[in-house]
């Protein structure tokens, strides 16, 4: 039985307090000043949960694998990810779900996987969920694409209506009628496509979660309902003005908008990266998506350091996603007695400039080149320091 502890400035129940945290077999047993543990420099925050990543693998190993994605995640202070099933092959059956979970054998952070909904598999979705659910915790059905360049991934509104009660749905809300394909894509994917899709989904579904909302109007519509939503770091920090800097790398769905959303941070529930790696060659061909799992928390901590956002924003990467997706039951999301001893430690005096060369994604580029960030100096998973050190002790969320 291993017992140990840490001591320092800990984010505990919304405030930074100087205290000790003791843990045993990976779970926190005590939080108080008398706990004697390894003294850590900097802020000891809960490690993050990124509920929206695309870790590719299989036929897309050249841009990311589950292993490389999880390595990137842990270096960004992320202890748990939710991978999306729009990979090749897509995860639309129990057999494919199990195959992808088996592929996730070398993990640096903990790993969970959503199940795809399509116009073809919706009649079986309840049965698939029951079968997969005997072994794994499935965070959600999603991300559900109302519009996608691959027709087999695009889901009709009437299909959504039929499955809305089965499980939590996470929706990529852009109305197919209002979206065209062009580059730069912000010229043909208008804001209205998002607000219209959000309006329709709210009426049809009754409950659910919206992925990467990119407009203030849609966030307002959602805030009057029981639905929850994500915002990405790129929609918070970037805008169409970054086209000059990013050039043909600018495409992402939903697209960058005229203004960054940072001043509206409080209108959203969760920050999620929508880590969607493509190689520079693919980006030059117009592929939509930005990598982000490793830079999201470091960018946020830099904003906290500069006083641009408050420490409360950390909840959007920790306790909020834990509550919405049910990860709190497993002990993720906050530094509390009985929870997992998962910490990301940030030394605010070690701010640096982001450089793709030092990131761990295979895709080899970042839209945040040169941005200020505070990367975690240490990351602890279940009571063990895993960064620095790159220890592959991540687990799958088994039932
Ligand atoms: O830009 C995007 N890329 N948006 C998505 O919703 C999917 C993602 C991808 O998988 O590349
Ligand atoms: Zn998406």
């Amino acid at each position: 039985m291993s017992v140990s502890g840490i001591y320092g400035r800990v984010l505990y129940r919304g405030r930074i307090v100087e205290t000790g945290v003791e843990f045993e077999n990976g779970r926190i047993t005590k939080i108080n000043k008398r706990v004697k543990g390894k003294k850590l420099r900097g802020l000891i925050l809960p490690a993050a949960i990124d509920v929206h990543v695309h870790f590719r693998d299989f036929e897309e190993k050249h841009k990311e694998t589950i292993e490389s994605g999880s390595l990137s995640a842990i270096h960004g202070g992320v202890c748990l990810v939710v991978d999306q099933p729009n990979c090749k092959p897509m995860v639309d059956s129990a057999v494919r779900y199990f195959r992808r979970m088996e592929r996730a054998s070398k993990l640096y952070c903990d790993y969970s996987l959503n199940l795809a909904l399509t116009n073809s598999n919706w009649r079986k979705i309840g049965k698939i969920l029951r079968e997969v659910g005997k072994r794994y915790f499935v965070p959600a059905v999603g991300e559900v694409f109302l519009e996608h360049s691959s027709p087999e991934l695009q889901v009709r509104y009437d299909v959504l209506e039929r499955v809305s009660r089965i499980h939590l749905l996470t929706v990529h809300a852009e109305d197919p009628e209002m979206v065209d394909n062009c580059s730069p894509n912000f010229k043909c994917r208008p804001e209205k496509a998002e607000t219209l899709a959000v309006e329709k989904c709210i009426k049809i579904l009754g409950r659910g979660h919206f992925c990467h909302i990119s407009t203030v109007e849609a966030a307002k519509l959602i805030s009057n309902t029981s639905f929850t939503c994500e915002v990405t770091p790129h929609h918070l920090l970037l805008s169409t003005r970054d086209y000059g800097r990013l050039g043909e790398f600018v495409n992402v769905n939903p697209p960058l908008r005229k203004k960054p959303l940072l001043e509206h941070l409080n209108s959203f529930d969760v920050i999620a990266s929508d880590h969607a790696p493509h190689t520079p060659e693919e980006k030059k061909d117009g592929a939509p998506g930005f990598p982000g799992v490793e830079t999201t928390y470091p960018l946020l901590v830099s904003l906290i350091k500069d006083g641009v956002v408050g420490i409360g924003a950390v909840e959007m990467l920790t306790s909020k996603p834990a509550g919405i997706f049910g990860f709190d039951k497993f002990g993720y999301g906050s530094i509390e007695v009985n929870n997992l001893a998962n910490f990301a430690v940030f030394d605010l005096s070690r701010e640096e400039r982001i450089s793709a060369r030092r990131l761990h994604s295979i895709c080899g580029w970042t839209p945040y080149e040169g941005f200020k960030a505070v990367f975690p100096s240490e990351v602890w998973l279940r009571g063990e320091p895993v960064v620095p050190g790159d220890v592959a002790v991540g687990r799958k969320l088994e039932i």
Side-chain angles (χ1 to χ4, degrees):
M1 201 166 29
S2 66
V3 183
S4 48
I6 56 170
Y7 192 93
R9 295 170 65 218
V10 178
L11 181 62
Y12 180 57
R13 299 190 177 172
R15 288 191 311 124
I16 300 289
V17 292
E18 192 173 315
T19 190
V21 181
E22 189 178 276
F23 30 87
E24 199 172 316
N25 297 328
R27 292 216 174 234
I28 297 171
T29 45
K30 278 183 203 154
I31 303 176
N32 66 56
K33 273 189 188 298
R34 290 180 304 280
V35 170
K36 288 196 179 46
K38 186 182 174 207
K39 210 161 175 55
L40 301 182
R41 198 187 149 91
L43 291 183
I44 302 168
L45 306 183
I49 302 167
D50 190 336
V51 296
H52 196 135
V53 302
H54 299 268
F55 278 177
R56 314 298 192 202
D57 215 312
F58 289 89
E59 291 165 37
E60 299 174 301
K61 283 199 196 89
H62 61 286
K63 43 186 158 193
E64 201 74 284
T65 61
I66 297 172
E67 183 183 326
S68 64
S70 71
L71 182 65
S72 197
I74 202 77
H75 279 274
V78 173
C79 66
L80 171 66
V81 294
V82 180
D83 200 6
Q84 305 301 324
N86 66 322
C87 24
K88 288 187 183 150
M90 69 171 133
V91 184
D92 60 349
S93 68
V95 169
R96 286 184 172 176
Y97 194 101
F98 291 138
R99 204 147 71 89
R100 193 164 173 88
M101 289 309 265
E102 271 147 35
R103 177 63 61 95
S105 54
K106 191 168 182 192
L107 287 168
Y108 291 90
C109 69
D110 291 352
Y111 180 82
S112 67
L113 174 63
N114 278 352
L115 177 65
L117 175 72
T118 69
N119 290 332
S120 313
N121 80 348
W122 68 267
R123 284 187 188 80
K124 293 177 274 181
I125 201 82
K127 189 162 168 273
I128 302 171
L129 276 168
R130 279 193 295 283
E131 194 174 340
V132 173
K134 284 180 199 156
R135 279 173 66 184
Y136 297 111
F137 177 75
V138 184
V141 169
E143 77 176 292
V144 175
F145 289 91
L146 298 170
E147 193 283 333
H148 198 282
S149 53
S150 307
E152 73 271 17
L153 276 167
Q154 193 161 310
V155 180
R156 297 188 311 268
Y157 287 108
D158 67 288
V159 167
L160 280 192
E161 193 162 5
R162 287 158 207 247
V163 301
S164 64
R165 272 161 222 295
I166 293 180
H167 199 54
L168 177 67
L169 293 188
T170 69
V171 183
H172 179 134
E174 286 184 281
D175 192 88
E177 300 294 315
M178 298 200 63
V179 164
D180 260 332
N181 276 319
C182 70
S183 203
N185 74 340
F186 55 77
K187 294 205 169 147
C188 54
R189 300 181 83 100
E191 298 203 351
K192 188 79 190 100
E194 182 172 276
T195 42
L196 182 65
V198 164
E199 252 165 5
K200 286 189 183 176
C201 287
I202 288 174
K203 275 199 198 119
I204 291 172
L205 291 173
R207 66 176 187 129
H209 176 83
F210 289 104
C211 307
H212 43 55
I213 288 300
S214 63
T215 65
V216 181
E217 289 67 31
K220 272 192 196 137
L221 290 171
I222 295 163
S223 69
N224 296 323
T225 68
S226 60
F227 286 76
T228 51
C229 70
E230 294 157 18
V231 65
T232 65
H234 46 275
H235 292 115
L236 287 173
L237 299 175
L238 309 182
S239 71
T240 50
R241 294 178 72 162
D242 288 278
Y243 182 38
R245 182 177 62 87
L246 294 171
E248 56 212 330
F249 285 60
V250 78
N251 288 352
V252 64
N253 295 338
L256 298 183
R257 305 298 185 186
K258 284 215 175 72
K259 282 188 178 166
L261 289 172
L262 190 58
E263 63 183 281
H264 301 281
L265 184 64
N266 292 338
S267 308
F268 303 90
D269 301 290
V270 169
I271 301 173
S273 70
D274 192 10
H275 177 79
H278 298 284
T279 62
E281 294 70 35
E282 291 163 334
K283 289 302 290 174
K284 284 179 194 154
D285 281 344
F290 292 165
V293 71
E294 189 167 347
T295 45
T296 302
Y297 212 171
L299 285 164
L300 185 71
V301 172
S302 171
L303 293 171
I304 292 169
K305 171 181 178 284
D306 288 348
V308 179
V309 300
I311 191 77
V314 168
E315 288 182 6
M316 298 176 78
L317 271 175
T318 54
S319 56
K320 290 276 190 66
I324 293 167
F325 287 82
F327 298 128
D328 48 359
K329 292 191 287 287
F330 293 84
Y332 295 92
S334 57
I335 299 174
E336 265 299 341
V337 171
N338 291 329
N339 273 359
L340 297 169
N342 292 345
F343 317 115
V345 186
F346 296 90
D347 180 347
L348 301 190
S349 68
R350 285 179 42 177
E351 189 170 62
E352 54 189 294
R353 299 275 173 181
I354 293 175
S355 158
R357 279 185 299 109
R358 295 176 59 190
L359 301 176
H360 297 79
S361 167
I362 291 175
C363 78
W365 77 282
T366 170
Y368 307 107
E369 193 72 40
F371 281 44
K372 286 194 298 181
V374 182
F375 285 89
S377 46
E378 290 186 36
V379 182
W380 292 59
L381 196 56
R382 282 181 283 279
E384 300 291 339
V386 289
V387 170
D390 297 349
V391 191
V393 291
R395 290 185 190 163
K396 299 171 243 192
L397 249 59
E398 266 151 320
I399 290 294

